[in-house]
Amino acid sequence: MSSSVHVAGVGSTTFGSHPGRSLQSLAVEAARAALADSNVPAHRISFLFVGNFVGGIMVGQELLGPIVAANLGLSNVAAVKVEAACASSSAAVRIGHDLIRAQAEEAVLVVGVERMTGVPREALTAAMTAAIDQDSEANAGLTFPGFWGLIMARHMHLYGTTREQVAAVTVKNRRFGATNPLAQFQKSVSLEEVMTSAPVADPIRRFDCCPATDGAAAVVLTNEALARKCGSPSVRVAASVLLNGPVRIADYREITIHDGTINAARRAYEKAGVGPEDVDVAELHDCFSIAEIVDSEDLGFFPKGEGGANLTQKPSGRNTKVVINPSGGLLSKGHPTGATGCGQLFEIAMQLRRRHPNQVPQARLGLTHNGGGTAAAVTVHILEALR
Amino acid sequence: MSSSVHVAGVGSTTFGSHPGRSLQSLAVEAARAALADSNVPAHRISFLFVGNFVGGIMVGQELLGPIVAANLGLSNVAAVKVEAACASSSAAVRIGHDLIRAQAEEAVLVVGVERMTGVPREALTAAMTAAIDQDSEANAGLTFPGFWGLIMARHMHLYGTTREQVAAVTVKNRRFGATNPLAQFQKSVSLEEVMTSAPVADPIRRFDCCPATDGAAAVVLTNEALARKCGSPSVRVAASVLLNGPVRIADYREITIHDGTINAARRAYEKAGVGPEDVDVAELHDCFSIAEIVDSEDLGFFPKGEGGANLTQKPSGRNTKVVINPSGGLLSKGHPTGATGCGQLFEIAMQLRRRHPNQVPQARLGLTHNGGGTAAAVTVHILEALR
């Protein structure tokens, strides 16, 4: 016996800089918005998951489950923090989904939250490095810009991907972000600006990187009966997958191929009974511009090595109809690490409800892809519009 | 449809000081021991939970789910860290339990781990304070010894609990610890030594406090079919409960009464169809000696205010048969925060399998009580011996 699982409501703060705001205050804002959107009474929530990555390191706050629950007035609930680096809140959604699907819970609230701005860049880089194995590569000096710099150089070398194609990802996502009121960057950039921005980790430049972001996003998941009782169920979770992948460079069979993403996507497509060609809109984990190219290939939207050429085309000019990161993605909407997974689900839910500022016409099937570490923890969610 | 849930195997490192060992190395040692004990092949594990509280703050390591999974050779599993302060790993057990019970998973591995030694006392106190709300009481200077000092003073004031009765808890648990090879403190102390130890937060003294501890413990949970296939199922989970309670002093109706514990215990007894009088052995959260008194009352072993007098009696001298903290408890076995919940389940499983160094004769029903914050996240597990 299993129940279908519904996204009954979503909520979000703006993504950007929120000086003076605590994790709990941001989380509560997003959670209240999601509860109001869902029409599910707070007392029906039996499990609260808070997705958060570096709350301990950045602001010295843990125990966010019970603290956020208390601030929401939820008593006698199970409340925990789930951490899977930048995939923390979508990993929590996977657990909540499974509990509802198996009829262990009726309604679950998942809130993702992070505070990242207002600290020196070195402190932020050090905090992010908590997602690299301290027993090996982190102690050797590896950082995420460094790792993705290696991946970008190798992708260009192996497949002939050009510097312009990679920069075009940022240009596209900045253009989308400019018309998303939740986005951190509301201003377009030119190809020239991306390619001449300050070097970070060769060949990666500043505008190839997502920003440091504060923000929170929340999702209310329910079974079908409650979704129906509280309103008209409009968004169904067709697949919710979390899988691990390699955690060290030495363990990748090839650094431009991310098995965490490939395996999670394969399982998600199987569960949903669809293929990548059926996906209308996707929010994927473009922490760096090259990441959107790698991910779009590993998700099956384009053959390996052809992501660069394809991403610069309009959907009408290629075999795949998917529109990628119309939110602006991590590059432009921003990347409050622990909140990003729920933020992506917020975006796709809005697309499927036809209420998105950058609406993909006729969007019926949406996908999110969220990665912790470099595809060390990968979630893929497939959402379906019901009407 | 639901399955019964079994503790198929347990494993643990020694609790104490493990200089130079990483979180992942300790976690892997405990996990491998639990897998070997369970006889469940590693490839049957589909979900890995790592319970950890201050890995980010203390050693800058997050993403422990995928990292520990990789070190265990587990691929294509869902792997996350669960955090609920000092109740992190037992909270993870609750989630794993629910997934198996609802038949969403067949076998789940939960590992709790912490590194706490080798840093200045101030740094450790600051790290622990991550479990206090930074928006209110933590910023006002509250610490856990401070909070429990208030509770102890008030318990003595309201109920006539004596300084000797509180100290006797430490004496009892140190005596148990002296014969538990996993325990951090292997040496008995006298009532006099406890009562004249250095003041910490009046009336709490040094020997009223649990130590800083490194360690890891792990539990393999399976459904009945797999437990049967891999061996003889010997320990069944009769109840697994996680509930939140107040997170700020201002929110307690009375600081000597912990509703998080009361409500979690009530629900656990209901689920298991037993009462506190049926429990043979309990491992409860004695982070301070006074905590064992408060918890034993809130768990229903003694009426409120009578814990002090009762704990100094032998079980034969009171109405309740329960033996409390024969492991030595947090006070003597040690308190590697994120590992403590799994460590308690390790102890109770060994009791029910009649393999404990401080064996409670005829132990058939065991209980664990684990608290994050000050009963802000509370788990109660009831385990039953099958024979």
Side-chain angles (χ1 to χ4, degrees):
Chain A
M1 283 291 290
S2 65
S3 165
S4 65
V5 181
H6 295 261
V7 176
V10 292
S12 183
T13 68
T14 57
F15 281 14
S17 179
H18 289 286
R21 293 286 298 275
S22 65
L23 290 171
Q24 36 273 60
S25 133
L26 292 166
V28 164
E29 178 184 335
R32 288 213 172 112
L35 284 167
D37 182 50
S38 73
N39 210 25
V40 173
H43 73 266
R44 300 297 284 267
I45 300 295
S46 46
F47 221 124
L48 168 67
F49 294 96
V50 178
N52 173 256
F53 171 25
V54 286
I57 297 174
M58 296 293 283
V59 297
Q61 184 71 71
E62 297 288 359
L63 198 64
L64 283 168
I67 290 173
V68 172
N71 288 351
L72 288 169
L74 302 177
S75 54
N76 287 320
V77 297
V80 298
K81 162 173 158 171
V82 170
E83 187 276 323
C86 303
S88 294
S89 59
S90 63
V93 167
R94 150 80 198 262
I95 300 171
H97 164 275
D98 287 7
L99 291 171
I100 293 172
R101 188 172 164 75
Q103 306 189 335
E105 301 288 344
E106 180 189 59
V108 163
L109 173 60
V110 184
V111 197
V113 63
E114 209 75 73
R115 272 297 319 260
M116 301 172 71
T117 70
V119 298
R121 194 180 308 179
E122 297 70 29
L124 187 68
T125 302
M128 293 300 103
T129 306
I132 302 181
D133 186 355
Q134 304 289 324
D135 269 5
S136 56
E137 293 173 344
N139 281 341
L142 187 67
T143 62
F144 283 105
F147 193 7
W148 280 101
L150 294 176
I151 294 171
M152 180 167 162
R154 186 152 174 85
H155 205 282
M156 294 168 78
H157 169 73
L158 280 182
Y159 313 115
T161 302
T162 67
R163 175 64 262 202
E164 287 75 9
Q165 287 169 346
V166 182
V169 172
T170 298
V171 173
K172 167 180 77 68
N173 290 358
R174 285 289 194 105
R175 198 182 302 126
F176 277 133
T179 48
N180 181 355
L182 294 180
Q184 182 164 7
F185 293 146
Q186 303 264 347
K187 190 172 162 296
S188 293
V189 291
S190 66
L191 207 63
E192 175 78 13
E193 283 174 293
V194 178
M195 291 173 58
T196 59
S197 59
V200 170
D202 188 59
I204 284 180
R205 290 172 176 265
R206 186 163 180 186
F207 287 3
D208 290 307
C209 308
C210 67
T213 310
D214 307 324
V219 174
V220 176
L221 299 172
T222 68
N223 61 17
E224 186 174 5
L226 190 59
R228 206 170 288 282
K229 187 177 170 188
C230 294
S232 162
S234 56
V235 177
R236 190 178 73 88
V237 183
S240 175
V241 174
L242 163 67
L243 288 180
N244 73 333
V247 296
R248 287 174 288 267
I249 290 183
D251 298 333
Y252 285 77
R253 59 183 160 119
E254 158 57 48
I255 59 171
T256 59
I257 298 175
H258 294 180
D259 284 318
T261 297
I262 290 172
N263 293 333
R266 187 178 296 148
R267 197 172 291 190
Y269 292 134
E270 272 172 27
K271 278 181 194 267
V274 301
E277 66 281 3
D278 299 311
V279 176
D280 299 300
V281 54
E283 292 286 334
L284 57 76
H285 199 87
D286 58 326
C287 48
F288 298 92
S289 46
I290 182 65
E292 181 164 317
I293 293 173
V294 171
D295 296 343
S296 65
E297 294 163 352
D298 290 335
L299 290 166
F301 295 139
F302 314 117
K304 181 53 68 185
E306 297 181 19
N310 268 291
L311 278 169
T312 57
Q313 309 272 338
K314 282 193 186 308
S316 56
R318 42 175 157 94
N319 289 334
T320 314
K321 65 183 169 183
V322 65
V323 177
I324 294 176
N325 285 332
S327 70
L330 283 56
L331 286 170
S332 182
K333 188 189 174 194
H335 184 26
T337 49
T340 291
C342 279
Q344 293 176 320
L345 289 164
F346 175 98
E347 296 288 333
I348 294 295
M350 287 300 183
Q351 287 283 355
L352 300 184
R353 290 150 78 179
R354 309 280 162 86
R355 284 169 49 192
H356 198 280
N358 297 321
Q359 183 65 48
V360 173
Q362 313 302 330
R364 200 193 61 79
L365 205 69
L367 177 148
T368 65
H369 162 266
N370 189 199
T374 302
V378 178
T379 60
V380 173
H381 282 87
I382 298 177
L383 305 187
E384 185 188 9
L386 304 174
R387 53 193 74 245
Chain B
M1 283 292 288
S2 64
S3 166
S4 66
V5 181
H6 295 260
V7 177
V10 292
S12 183
T13 67
T14 57
F15 281 13
S17 179
H18 289 286
R21 293 284 300 274
S22 66
L23 290 170
Q24 38 272 60
S25 134
L26 291 166
V28 164
E29 178 184 334
R32 287 211 174 113
L35 284 166
D37 182 50
S38 73
N39 210 24
V40 172
H43 73 266
R44 300 296 285 266
I45 301 295
S46 45
F47 220 124
L48 167 68
F49 294 96
V50 178
N52 172 259
F53 171 25
V54 285
I57 296 174
M58 296 292 284
V59 296
Q61 184 71 70
E62 299 287 359
L63 197 65
L64 284 167
I67 290 172
V68 173
N71 289 351
L72 289 169
L74 301 177
S75 55
N76 287 320
V77 297
V80 298
K81 162 174 161 172
V82 170
E83 187 276 322
C86 303
S88 293
S89 59
S90 63
V93 167
R94 149 80 198 260
I95 300 171
H97 164 274
D98 287 7
L99 290 171
I100 293 171
R101 187 170 166 74
Q103 307 189 334
E105 301 288 345
E106 179 190 58
V108 164
L109 173 61
V110 184
V111 197
V113 63
E114 209 75 73
R115 271 298 319 259
M116 300 172 72
T117 69
V119 299
R121 195 180 307 178
E122 298 69 30
L124 187 67
T125 301
M128 294 299 103
T129 306
I132 302 181
D133 186 355
Q134 305 290 324
D135 269 5
S136 56
E137 292 173 344
N139 281 342
L142 188 66
T143 62
F144 283 106
F147 192 7
W148 281 101
L150 294 175
I151 293 171
M152 179 167 162
R154 188 156 172 82
H155 204 280
M156 294 168 78
H157 169 72
L158 280 182
Y159 312 116
T161 303
T162 66
R163 175 64 264 205
E164 287 75 9
Q165 288 169 345
V166 182
V169 172
T170 298
V171 173
K172 168 180 76 70
N173 290 358
R174 284 289 194 105
R175 198 180 304 127
F176 277 133
T179 49
N180 180 356
L182 294 181
Q184 182 163 8
F185 293 146
Q186 303 263 349
K187 189 172 163 295
S188 293
V189 292
S190 68
L191 208 63
E192 175 77 13
E193 282 174 293
V194 178
M195 291 173 59
T196 58
S197 59
V200 170
D202 187 57
I204 284 180
R205 288 172 177 266
R206 186 162 179 186
F207 287 1
D208 292 306
C209 308
C210 67
T213 310
D214 307 325
V219 174
V220 176
L221 299 172
T222 68
N223 61 18
E224 187 174 3
L226 191 58
R228 206 169 287 283
K229 187 178 170 187
C230 295
S232 160
S234 57
V235 177
R236 190 178 73 88
V237 184
S240 174
V241 174
L242 163 67
L243 288 180
N244 73 332
V247 296
R248 287 174 289 266
I249 290 184
D251 298 334
Y252 285 76
R253 58 183 163 118
E254 160 56 49
I255 59 172
T256 59
I257 299 175
H258 294 179
D259 284 318
T261 297
I262 291 173
N263 293 332
R266 186 177 297 149
R267 196 172 292 191
Y269 292 133
E270 273 172 25
K271 278 181 195 267
V274 300
E277 66 282 3
D278 299 312
V279 176
D280 299 299
V281 53
E283 292 287 333
L284 57 74
H285 199 88
D286 58 326
C287 48
F288 298 91
S289 46
I290 182 64
E292 180 164 317
I293 293 174
V294 171
D295 296 344
S296 65
E297 294 163 352
D298 291 335
L299 290 166
F301 296 139
F302 314 117
K304 180 52 69 186
E306 297 180 19
N310 268 290
L311 278 170
T312 58
Q313 310 272 339
K314 284 196 186 303
S316 55
R318 43 176 154 92
N319 289 332
T320 315
K321 65 182 170 187
V322 65
V323 178
I324 293 176
N325 285 333
S327 70
L330 283 56
L331 286 170
S332 183
K333 187 188 175 195
H335 184 26
T337 49
T340 291
C342 279
Q344 293 175 320
L345 290 164
F346 174 98
E347 296 289 333
I348 294 295
M350 287 301 183
Q351 288 283 355
L352 300 185
R353 289 151 77 178
R354 310 278 164 88
R355 284 170 48 193
H356 198 279
N358 297 322
Q359 183 65 47
V360 174
Q362 313 304 328
R364 201 194 60 80
L365 204 68
L367 177 147
T368 66
H369 163 264
N370 190 202
T374 302
V378 178
T379 60
V380 173
H381 283 86
I382 297 177
L383 305 187
E384 185 189 8
L386 303 174
R387 52 193 76 243

